[in-house]
Structure formats: structure tokens, C-alpha cells
Amino acid sequence: MGEKKGFFGRLVAGLSKTRDNIVAGIDSIFNGFSSIDEDFYEELEEILIMADLGINTTTSIINNLKSKVKELKIKEPKECKELLIQSIKEQMEVKETAYEFENRKSIVMLIGVNGVGKTTSVGKLAGQLKEQGIKVLVAAADTFRAAAIEQLTEWSNRAGVEIIAQQEGSDPAAVIYDAIMAAKARNADVLICDTAGRLHNKKNLMEELKKIDRVITREYPDAYRETLVVLDGTTGQNALSQAKEFNEVAEITGIILTKLDGTAKGGIAIAIQSELGIPVKYIGIGEHIEDLQKFNAEDFVNALFN
């Protein structure tokens, strides 16, 4: 439990920029308005958009709030705060089945553009699963970035998990093939694959992912599939558009949102789930292995309004 509490404390600290950005503004609205009118809602809307919740998400939060205010016949702006927090939480429910891959023989693919913390996330995830007693193998299939293979090798050494890699420039699908053979031979539970994310060249990326997909379907058809897109929280709305684009080339089952400690745009965690209907499954708030944690909507919103 100490681990969990420790992370919540770090989350509260990590979200301080976002909190300053949202909460100060929201409080001044709740205290500054004497009645709940259109101006009140407009100001509220503006603050949520500024925190990178995006237009669509903000609109549905505000509409939700309006109907609750009507239904409960609330007159005082101050009394809206809890309702607002509730409305935000309702935008982002992650189901219990979100982490099913931990209990099955599975292949977890991580995709994302360079620089978002993708390779690091593979290493952190591998380390955490291993600590849970799960037998993990990692595959270095981001073969177009020399540093990625070295970086993943370093992470897997640190985490004490085996890595399957070839040299830079080799065919990613061939690396995945080798990794599947190894996973079967060693009876690994979870195979985590670091794959390329050259979004600027969507056609190539699509071909590559299709090829990998064919290899998995042919060689490991009964594996449970999880495809996580890694996004950099500091990029706000840009992260949302990346998620949309990746969702066009692959069947994304979840999101890892990194670098939330360095941004005032933490609201993007809410926007992504609300707009795409894809859950944020992990969030990262630092460099250490334990700084990547399962996302808990309740904790997240509480840390925001703490």
C-alpha cells in the first residue's frame, strides 16, 4: 500500500502545474459569481479548455453539469464544485478488464513517435510485471533508431528481463518472429514489443504494423493482444491528434501518458478518454521504474482538485 500512497503523493506533486492552471481559475469562478448564469458557464468552459480538456470534452462536462444543476435545483455556484468534479470523473471510467493481459499469455505492443518515452515505458512496464511474478520477455523491434536497441537493452538489464534484439536496421517483423519463438520456448507469460512510430510516414508504418500483425496471427494466434500508444502529456492537444492518427493504423486498446509531471496540460488525460473512448491505462510522472503506474481516474481527479 505504501507504494500506492507514495505514487499518489508524487501524482499530486506532479500535477501541480495543471492544478494551478485549473483549480485557481475554477475557485475564483465559484467564489466570484453570485449566481449560476450563462457567464458562469462560459468562464468555466474557458478554464477547462485552457487546461487542454478540449472543446468536445468540455462541452459534455458543462452539459452534464447544467443538467445536474437543474435536476438538483442548485442556486449557489459554490455548490457546483463537487458536481463538476463528478462530471469530470464520469468522462473517464477505466474498466476492470483493462489489464487482462497480465493474466494471460499475451503480446503487448507499444507504439508512439520518437521522444515520447516509448522505449523507457517498455522497460518500466517489463520491470513492474516481473516484480508481480510474471515471466516477461521484451523485443527490440524499434530497429530504425540505433539508440532504441541500446536503451532497451539497458532497461531490460536493470529490470532483470531477457531481451530479443537484432542489429539496427533489421526487419522489425523478423525481430517479433524471433521473440515469439523465444517466448514459446521459454514459456514467457508476456512479450512486450517496442515498435517504431514513424507517423510522418504513415504508409510505411501501416505496412510494418500489418506485417508484424501477420507474423503474430500466424505464429502465436492464441496470444491475447494489447496495443498501447505512448503519448507525451506535455504536448496537450497534439497528443490527442497523435492518438487519433495511430488509431487509424492500429487497433489501439489503451494509452500510456508520460511526462505529466512537467506540464500544465494534464487535462489531456481526460480529453483523450472522452474523445476517443480509449482508456488511459498508465501514466508516467518521472524517470524511475515506479513512476509509471496504472491510471486511476478517481485518484487523478482527486489529485487535480486536492
Side-chain angles (χ1 to χ4, degrees), residues 71-113:
E71 189 187 323
L72 300 167
K73 301 189 170 47
I74 286 172
K75 298 277 177 277
E76 286 291 311
K78 282 193 185 70
E79 293 171 38
C80 279
K81 191 170 174 179
E82 276 315 306
L83 291 180
L84 176 70
I85 294 173
Q86 214 35 56
S87 296
I88 291 174
K89 284 179 182 171
E90 282 167 23
Q91 296 294 318
M92 45 197 302
E93 286 318 303
V94 177
K95 294 178 187 56
E96 270 310 297
T97 55
Y99 307 99
E100 183 56 34
F101 69 88
E102 293 184 356
N103 311 315
R104 310 265 287 270
K105 293 277 187 207
S106 60
I107 292 187
V108 182
M109 308 262 291
L110 268 70
I111 60 178
V113 300

Side-chain angles (χ1 to χ4, degrees), residues 21-142:
N21 190 5
I22 300 186
V23 178
I26 282 178
D27 283 347
S28 73
I29 292 175
F30 286 139
N31 298 324
F33 276 84
S34 53
S35 67
I36 299 171
D37 55 14
E38 271 315 301
D39 286 348
F40 167 77
Y41 286 124
E42 264 176 32
E43 294 252 338
L44 204 49
E45 196 164 39
E46 198 172 302
I47 283 186
L48 295 178
I49 289 169
M50 294 282 289
D52 259 314
L53 270 80
I55 307 276
N56 300 349
T57 311
T58 298
T59 306
S60 64
I61 289 170
I62 298 283
N63 288 343
N64 188 330
L65 181 65
K66 282 180 178 172
S67 66
K68 284 180 177 163
V69 165
K70 212 179 227 147
E71 189 187 323
L72 300 167
K73 301 189 170 47
I74 286 172
K75 298 277 177 277
E76 286 291 311
K78 282 193 185 70
E79 293 171 38
C80 279
K81 191 170 174 179
E82 276 315 306
L83 291 180
L84 176 70
I85 294 173
Q86 214 35 56
S87 296
I88 291 174
K89 284 179 182 171
E90 282 167 23
Q91 296 294 318
M92 45 197 302
E93 286 318 303
V94 177
K95 294 178 187 56
E96 270 310 297
T97 55
Y99 307 99
E100 183 56 34
F101 69 88
E102 293 184 356
N103 311 315
R104 310 265 287 270
K105 293 277 187 207
S106 60
I107 292 187
V108 182
M109 308 262 291
L110 268 70
I111 60 178
V113 300
N114 288 341
V116 294
K118 176 171 55 75
T119 303
T120 317
S121 295
V122 173
K124 289 177 181 170
L125 196 54
Q128 290 188 17
L129 292 174
K130 183 178 186 243
E131 276 172 25
Q132 291 172 39
I134 294 169
K135 187 161 188 196
V136 187
L137 193 65
V138 298
D142 183 353

Side-chain angles (χ1 to χ4, degrees), residues 176-216:
I176 302 285
Y177 176 86
D178 282 357
I180 289 172
M181 294 303 126
K184 286 176 164 178
R186 297 169 200 182
N187 198 24
D189 299 311
V190 179
L191 169 60
I192 309 179
C193 309
D194 188 12
T195 64
R198 297 184 308 292
L199 245 192
H200 59 272
N201 198 333
K202 234 173 174 175
K203 195 174 176 324
N204 283 11
L205 180 64
M206 210 162 182
E207 287 312 310
E208 187 177 309
L209 292 171
K210 270 189 193 146
K211 198 169 167 189
I212 289 173
D213 191 65
R214 283 198 298 271
V215 170
I216 297 172

